[in-house]
Amino acid sequence: MPARPLPDEALHLIAAVQDALAERLDAQADVQERPLFGSHAFMVNGKLCLAVKGDNLLVRLPPDQHEAIAETPGLHELDPRGGMAGYFWVTPAAYATRAQWRHWIDAALAYNPSAKATRPRGKTAPGIPPSPPGRGPG
């Protein structure tokens, strides 16, 4: 079955994120876009930084500030059970003004250099042998 076309609000939001990243990052930054869990994700230097799903903007922020950030009106935790600290969906009401928009983009980009990269499945770090099938590390 072919992929469904993206709604107009998602296309506009994706274009806005692309513009914001182009304005804020230098030419050496590695920005990749890809589908991820039903969203359009923006990987910055190999780490999930931002994503778009419908008219919501996903931001990745410092996990140690999760509790305080979660109180912000217009934000929803990615995982309400608490398994994804630092990941938030920002609703249109919370990025409606230019100042709000800049805040969320800048906050996600500020955290990105210290964010942990997720190792692609099936790959191991140099010098670490892969785990036997059916067994995790260690």
Side-chain angles (χ1 to χ4, degrees), residues 11-46:
L11 293 173
H12 291 296
L13 190 53
I14 289 167
V17 172
Q18 290 167 333
D19 290 345
L21 293 176
E23 287 174 8
R24 287 165 174 77
L25 298 175
D26 63 26
Q28 280 89 29
D30 175 26
V31 178
Q32 296 179 2
E33 298 178 37
R34 66 179 194 175
L36 184 67
F37 304 120
S39 70
H40 186 92
F42 293 85
M43 310 294 286
V44 177
N45 296 322

Side-chain angles (χ1 to χ4, degrees), residues 49-50 58-61 103-113:
C49 184
L50 299 156
L58 179 77
V59 294
R60 184 177 183 190
L61 305 171
H103 168 76
W104 296 118
I105 299 293
D106 292 343
L109 288 172
Y111 175 62
N112 186 260

Side-chain angles (χ1 to χ4, degrees), residues 2-138:
R4 292 183 188 155
L6 293 172
D8 286 343
E9 62 270 5
L11 293 173
H12 291 296
L13 190 53
I14 289 167
V17 172
Q18 290 167 333
D19 290 345
L21 293 176
E23 287 174 8
R24 287 165 174 77
L25 298 175
D26 63 26
Q28 280 89 29
D30 175 26
V31 178
Q32 296 179 2
E33 298 178 37
R34 66 179 194 175
L36 184 67
F37 304 120
S39 70
H40 186 92
F42 293 85
M43 310 294 286
V44 177
N45 296 322
K47 300 174 248 183
L48 177 61
C49 184
L50 299 156
V52 170
K53 187 171 188 178
D55 60 358
N56 290 311
L57 175 70
L58 179 77
V59 294
R60 184 177 183 190
L61 305 171
D64 61 345
Q65 297 175 17
H66 186 90
E67 297 291 322
I69 296 168
E71 301 298 319
T72 306
L75 260 60
H76 304 286
E77 298 175 60
L78 176 63
D79 180 1
R81 295 169 292 165
M84 299 289 289
Y87 292 86
F88 295 95
W89 287 111
V90 183
T91 65
Y95 66 75
T97 69
R98 188 176 307 253
Q100 289 172 316
W101 173 256
R102 286 182 178 148
H103 168 76
W104 296 118
I105 299 293
D106 292 343
L109 288 172
Y111 175 62
N112 186 260
S114 59
K116 290 183 181 178
T118 302
R119 197 170 53 201
R121 289 182 183 243
K123 304 236 176 163
T124 58
I128 300 175
S131 298
R135 296 194 55 195

